[in-house]
Amino acid sequence: MALAALTACQKESDVISASKGVELTISASVASPADTRTTYTYTSGTQAGTIDVAWEATEYLTVVSIGESGITAVDEFVSTGDAGRTKAEFTGTWNGSAGDKVICLYPAVTKKLFKFY
């Protein structure tokens, strides 16, 4: 199961320095009836039902920073912890610029996909 983008992606601090290489922690969770990161309900065939998915022991996400002139940074953040947890804390170094918009992608993608970066 894959999420195109995390629905809960927030910076630990609301103030980000203009300098590059800021250490950040991003908390991620998605509310669902089963308190897991996502649920998927399928209705076709004889196997209709819900699949609950929880965080694995090690997870990665991609943080894409976008400025006025385009992408300024593509960074990978990692979360480690108990498999099955309902909340993941992703840590990494953010290399965007002050004022950038930030998009978090899960699962992580490689920088090769961002040819214009």
Side-chain angles (χ1 to χ4, degrees):
M1 307 309 300
L3 294 173
L6 291 173
T7 60
C9 179
Q10 64 186 48
K11 297 181 291 294
E12 186 176 63
S13 171
D14 291 333
V15 179
I16 296 187
S17 168
S19 64
K20 299 283 185 170
V22 178
E23 294 296 316
L24 290 179
T25 298
I26 297 172
S27 299
S29 62
V30 177
S32 71
D35 267 342
T36 60
R37 68 180 174 189
T38 188
T39 57
Y40 173 73
T41 303
Y42 56 100
T43 57
S44 63
T46 59
Q47 303 211 2
T50 301
I51 301 171
D52 296 328
V53 181
W55 296 105
E56 298 292 331
T58 302
E59 295 277 5
Y60 298 91
L61 64 81
T62 301
V63 178
V64 181
S65 302
I66 305 169
E68 289 183 18
S69 61
I71 294 177
T72 60
V74 178
D75 301 306
E76 184 175 86
F77 281 53
V78 64
S79 176
T80 57
D82 294 332
R85 65 194 185 279
T86 59
K87 182 178 180 181
E89 300 284 333
F90 292 86
T91 57
T93 302
W94 180 70
N95 292 294
S97 299
D100 283 357
K101 303 292 183 191
V102 176
I103 299 172
C104 299
L105 302 174
Y106 178 84
V109 296
T110 65
K111 289 183 181 181
K112 292 176 186 178
L113 293 176
F114 296 93
K115 294 180 181 183
F116 43 87
Y117 168 68

